[in-house]
Amino acid sequence: MSSLEELITKAKALQADGHTPGQISDELGVSMETVTWLLTQQKGMEAPKDVHIDWTAVGSHGMLLSDMAMMMLRRFFYFGEGEAVRPPGELPETIVGVALSGVPLATLIAAEEGLRLAVYLPAKHSRSETPTGSLSGTFSTITGQRCIIVDDVVTTGATLAEAIGFLRQHGAMPVAVWSLFDKRGVREIDGVPVQSLFTISRLG
Ligand SMILES: O=P(O)(O)OC[C@H]1O[C@H](OP(=O)(O)OP(=O)(O)O)[C@H](O)[C@@H]1O
Protein backbone atom coordinates (compact mmCIF):
# COMPACT_ATOMS: atom_id res chain seq x y z
CA MET A 1 0.00 0.00 0.00
CA SER A 2 1.43 3.43 -0.92
CA SER A 3 1.82 6.10 1.76
CA LEU A 4 -1.02 8.05 0.13
CA GLU A 5 -3.28 5.01 0.26
CA GLU A 6 -2.30 4.54 3.90
CA LEU A 7 -3.23 8.16 4.60
CA ILE A 8 -6.61 7.71 2.88
CA THR A 9 -7.25 4.53 4.89
CA LYS A 10 -6.31 6.30 8.16
CA ALA A 11 -8.56 9.29 7.34
CA LYS A 12 -11.51 7.03 6.55
CA ALA A 13 -10.93 4.93 9.68
CA LEU A 14 -10.89 8.08 11.83
CA GLN A 15 -14.10 9.28 10.17
CA ALA A 16 -15.72 5.88 10.78
CA ASP A 17 -14.71 6.22 14.47
CA GLY A 18 -16.70 9.46 14.62
CA HIS A 19 -13.84 11.99 14.38
CA THR A 20 -14.71 15.36 12.88
CA PRO A 21 -12.75 16.67 9.85
CA GLY A 22 -10.96 19.07 12.22
CA GLN A 23 -9.90 16.24 14.48
CA ILE A 24 -8.75 14.19 11.48
CA SER A 25 -6.78 17.21 10.26
CA ASP A 26 -5.03 17.48 13.66
CA GLU A 27 -4.44 13.77 13.95
CA LEU A 28 -2.89 13.40 10.50
CA GLY A 29 -1.14 16.79 10.44
CA VAL A 30 -2.70 17.88 7.14
CA SER A 31 -4.98 20.76 6.19
CA MET A 32 -8.79 20.62 6.26
CA GLU A 33 -8.75 20.87 2.47
CA THR A 34 -6.57 17.76 2.35
CA VAL A 35 -8.89 15.92 4.74
CA THR A 36 -11.82 16.65 2.42
CA TRP A 37 -9.82 15.33 -0.50
CA LEU A 38 -8.68 12.20 1.38
CA LEU A 39 -12.26 11.41 2.36
CA THR A 40 -13.94 12.11 -0.97
CA GLN A 41 -11.38 12.12 -3.78
CA GLN A 42 -13.99 13.48 -6.14
CA LYS A 43 -13.26 12.79 -9.79
CA GLY A 44 -11.34 15.60 -11.42
CA MET A 45 -10.57 17.16 -8.04
CA GLU A 46 -6.83 17.76 -7.93
CA ALA A 47 -4.98 16.64 -4.78
CA PRO A 48 -4.30 19.66 -2.52
CA LYS A 49 -0.74 20.93 -2.31
CA ASP A 50 -0.05 19.66 1.18
CA VAL A 51 2.54 17.39 2.77
CA HIS A 52 2.13 14.74 5.40
CA ILE A 53 5.22 14.03 7.52
CA ASP A 54 5.53 10.49 8.79
CA TRP A 55 8.52 10.19 11.14
CA THR A 56 7.41 7.02 12.93
CA ALA A 57 10.59 5.27 11.69
CA VAL A 58 12.49 7.51 14.13
CA GLY A 59 9.78 8.18 16.70
CA SER A 60 9.18 4.50 17.38
CA HIS A 61 12.74 3.88 18.65
CA GLY A 62 13.95 5.53 21.84
CA MET A 63 17.56 5.67 20.72
CA LEU A 64 16.74 7.28 17.37
CA LEU A 65 14.38 9.73 19.06
CA SER A 66 17.19 10.61 21.44
CA ASP A 67 19.53 11.14 18.47
CA MET A 68 16.96 13.51 16.96
CA ALA A 69 16.58 15.43 20.23
CA MET A 70 20.38 15.76 20.47
CA MET A 71 20.45 17.05 16.89
CA MET A 72 18.05 19.81 17.92
CA LEU A 73 20.13 20.69 20.96
CA ARG A 74 23.40 20.75 19.03
CA ARG A 75 22.07 22.61 16.00
CA PHE A 76 20.07 25.24 17.84
CA PHE A 77 22.25 25.76 20.89
CA TYR A 78 25.81 24.60 20.40
CA PHE A 79 26.11 25.14 16.65
CA GLY A 80 23.85 28.16 16.47
CA GLU A 81 25.91 30.11 13.93
CA GLY A 82 24.56 33.42 15.06
CA GLU A 83 21.06 32.06 15.45
CA ALA A 84 21.76 30.64 18.90
CA VAL A 85 19.28 31.81 21.50
CA ARG A 86 22.05 32.13 24.06
CA PRO A 87 25.70 31.18 23.96
CA PRO A 88 26.48 27.78 25.55
CA GLY A 89 26.22 27.94 29.32
CA GLU A 90 23.14 30.11 29.28
CA LEU A 91 20.32 27.76 28.38
CA PRO A 92 17.02 28.77 29.93
CA GLU A 93 16.02 26.89 33.05
CA THR A 94 13.00 25.13 31.53
CA ILE A 95 12.16 23.10 28.44
CA VAL A 96 8.45 23.00 27.61
CA GLY A 97 7.27 20.02 25.56
CA VAL A 98 4.04 20.43 23.58
CA ALA A 99 1.84 17.33 23.92
CA LEU A 100 1.92 14.99 22.55
CA SER A 101 4.81 14.55 20.19
CA GLY A 102 6.96 17.38 21.54
CA VAL A 103 7.12 15.81 25.00
CA PRO A 104 9.63 12.98 24.43
CA LEU A 105 11.93 15.37 22.55
CA ALA A 106 11.69 17.98 25.33
CA THR A 107 12.29 15.30 27.97
CA LEU A 108 15.46 14.08 26.30
CA ILE A 109 16.81 17.63 25.91
CA ALA A 110 15.99 18.52 29.52
CA ALA A 111 17.62 15.29 30.73
CA GLU A 112 20.76 15.94 28.70
CA GLU A 113 21.19 19.45 30.07
CA GLY A 114 19.83 18.94 33.60
CA LEU A 115 16.96 21.39 33.01
CA ARG A 116 13.40 21.55 34.31
CA LEU A 117 10.69 19.94 32.19
CA ALA A 118 7.20 21.38 31.72
CA VAL A 119 4.44 19.91 29.55
CA TYR A 120 1.93 22.07 27.70
CA LEU A 121 -1.39 20.46 26.78
CA PRO A 122 -2.90 22.34 23.81
CA ALA A 123 -6.58 23.31 23.90
CA LYS A 124 -7.31 20.86 21.09
CA HIS A 125 -6.42 18.03 23.48
CA SER A 126 -8.82 19.32 26.15
CA ARG A 127 -12.02 17.37 26.64
CA SER A 128 -13.84 20.13 28.48
CA GLU A 129 -16.83 21.89 26.91
CA THR A 130 -14.81 25.07 26.69
CA PRO A 131 -11.40 23.75 25.63
CA THR A 132 -8.42 25.66 26.97
CA GLY A 133 -4.71 25.00 27.02
CA SER A 134 -3.12 23.92 30.28
CA LEU A 135 0.10 22.90 31.93
CA SER A 136 0.39 19.35 33.26
CA GLY A 137 0.59 19.43 37.06
CA THR A 138 2.88 16.42 37.08
CA PHE A 139 5.79 18.39 35.64
CA SER A 140 7.49 21.73 36.30
CA THR A 141 5.75 25.02 36.85
CA ILE A 142 6.84 27.86 34.55
CA THR A 143 6.14 31.14 36.35
CA GLY A 144 9.12 33.48 36.28
CA GLN A 145 11.14 31.14 34.11
CA ARG A 146 12.73 31.56 30.72
CA CYS A 147 11.87 28.58 28.55
CA ILE A 148 12.33 26.90 25.21
CA ILE A 149 9.26 25.33 23.64
CA VAL A 150 9.80 22.03 21.81
CA ASP A 151 7.45 20.45 19.28
CA ASP A 152 7.76 18.06 16.36
CA VAL A 153 5.95 19.82 13.50
CA VAL A 154 4.90 23.38 12.67
CA THR A 155 1.96 23.28 10.27
CA THR A 156 0.02 26.53 10.71
CA GLY A 157 1.85 27.67 13.85
CA ALA A 158 -1.46 27.93 15.73
CA THR A 159 -0.47 25.45 18.46
CA LEU A 160 2.79 27.28 19.13
CA ALA A 161 1.09 30.68 19.14
CA GLU A 162 -1.35 29.30 21.71
CA ALA A 163 1.51 27.88 23.83
CA ILE A 164 3.46 31.16 23.69
CA GLY A 165 0.36 33.12 24.74
CA PHE A 166 -0.32 30.73 27.61
CA LEU A 167 3.24 30.81 28.90
CA ARG A 168 3.34 34.60 28.82
CA GLN A 169 -0.03 34.87 30.57
CA HIS A 170 1.36 32.65 33.31
CA GLY A 171 4.49 34.69 33.83
CA ALA A 172 6.99 32.70 31.77
CA MET A 173 9.32 34.07 29.12
CA PRO A 174 9.48 31.88 26.02
CA VAL A 175 12.82 32.65 24.34
CA ALA A 176 12.71 30.18 21.44
CA VAL A 177 10.77 27.44 19.73
CA TRP A 178 12.60 24.35 18.53
CA SER A 179 10.90 21.98 16.10
CA LEU A 180 11.90 19.10 13.88
CA PHE A 181 9.86 19.99 10.81
CA ASP A 182 8.50 23.29 9.58
CA LYS A 183 5.93 23.05 6.81
CA ARG A 184 5.56 26.81 6.44
CA GLY A 185 9.02 28.34 6.67
CA VAL A 186 8.08 30.14 9.88
CA ARG A 187 10.95 32.17 11.36
CA GLU A 188 9.14 33.71 14.27
CA ILE A 189 5.83 33.47 16.10
CA ASP A 190 4.62 36.41 18.21
CA GLY A 191 8.18 37.66 18.63
CA VAL A 192 9.67 34.27 19.54
CA PRO A 193 12.28 32.87 17.12
CA VAL A 194 11.38 29.51 15.60
CA GLN A 195 14.21 27.14 14.70
CA SER A 196 13.52 23.92 12.80
CA LEU A 197 15.83 21.13 11.72
CA PHE A 198 13.99 20.61 8.44
CA THR A 199 11.97 23.09 6.42
CA ILE A 200 9.63 21.69 3.83
CA SER A 201 9.01 23.94 0.85
CA ARG A 202 7.18 23.34 -2.37
CA LEU A 203 9.05 24.20 -5.52
CA GLY A 204 6.25 23.89 -8.04
O1 LIG B 1 1.10 24.29 13.58
P1 LIG B 1 -0.21 23.64 13.86
O2 LIG B 1 -1.18 23.78 12.70
O3 LIG B 1 -0.82 24.07 15.14
O4 LIG B 1 0.04 22.07 13.93
C1 LIG B 1 1.16 21.51 14.57
C2 LIG B 1 0.73 20.73 15.78
O5 LIG B 1 -0.07 19.61 15.34
C3 LIG B 1 0.50 18.41 15.85
O6 LIG B 1 -0.07 18.12 17.08
P2 LIG B 1 -1.22 17.05 17.23
O7 LIG B 1 -1.93 17.35 18.48
O8 LIG B 1 -2.07 16.99 16.00
O9 LIG B 1 -0.43 15.69 17.26
P3 LIG B 1 0.40 15.03 18.44
O10 LIG B 1 -0.59 14.70 19.51
O11 LIG B 1 1.01 13.84 17.78
O12 LIG B 1 1.44 15.99 18.88
C4 LIG B 1 1.96 18.74 16.05
O13 LIG B 1 2.55 17.85 16.99
C5 LIG B 1 1.95 20.17 16.50
O14 LIG B 1 1.77 20.29 17.90
Side-chain angles (χ1 to χ4, degrees):
M1 196 187 280
S2 73
S3 53
L4 177 59
E5 285 165 344
E6 273 179 26
L7 205 55
I8 291 167
T9 304
K10 278 185 195 166
K12 289 187 174 170
L14 287 166
Q15 186 186 42
D17 282 349
H19 289 76
T20 64
Q23 289 167 332
I24 299 170
S25 159
D26 283 341
E27 187 66 30
L28 298 182
V30 296
S31 69
M32 289 285 283
E33 190 191 6
T34 303
V35 171
T36 305
W37 185 83
L38 290 170
L39 294 174
T40 59
Q41 293 163 75
Q42 288 158 8
K43 273 193 179 165
M45 186 179 166
E46 211 179 307
K49 296 190 189 315
D50 195 0
V51 287
H52 168 64
I53 298 169
D54 179 353
W55 61 287
T56 51
V58 169
S60 54
H61 292 276
M63 197 181 282
L64 298 179
L65 193 62
S66 173
D67 288 346
M68 203 68 138
M70 292 311 103
M71 279 172 67
M72 291 173 105
L73 182 61
R74 292 190 183 110
R75 175 64 186 94
F76 302 144
F77 186 62
Y78 290 108
F79 305 156
E81 290 175 24
E83 293 173 14
V85 184
R86 298 275 184 274
E90 290 183 45
L91 270 170
E93 43 284 66
T94 307
I95 303 291
V96 181
V98 178
L100 179 71
S101 303
V103 175
L105 293 162
T107 306
L108 289 158
I109 292 168
E112 174 73 12
E113 294 290 336
L115 303 173
R116 299 168 71 111
L117 174 71
V119 170
Y120 180 69
L121 306 164
K124 67 183 173 186
H125 289 261
S126 164
R127 290 188 182 160
S128 90
E129 276 186 17
T130 47
T132 50
S134 61
L135 208 64
S136 168
T138 304
F139 303 97
S140 176
T141 55
I142 41 95
T143 305
Q145 294 166 40
R146 291 181 309 123
C147 46
I148 289 177
I149 303 171
V150 175
D151 206 351
D152 61 334
V153 182
V154 182
T155 301
T156 62
T159 303
L160 290 171
E162 179 194 307
I164 290 166
F166 180 96
L167 294 175
R168 285 178 171 156
Q169 271 172 20
H170 291 79
M173 291 147 281
V175 296
V177 169
W178 292 354
S179 82
L180 295 179
F181 305 100
D182 178 1
K183 292 167 67 174
R184 281 283 170 92
V186 175
R187 285 307 183 96
E188 166 279 308
I189 297 176
D190 295 341
V192 180
V194 177
Q195 297 173 291
S196 304
L197 284 183
F198 305 98
T199 300
I200 290 114
S201 38
R202 187 168 291 280
L203 300 178

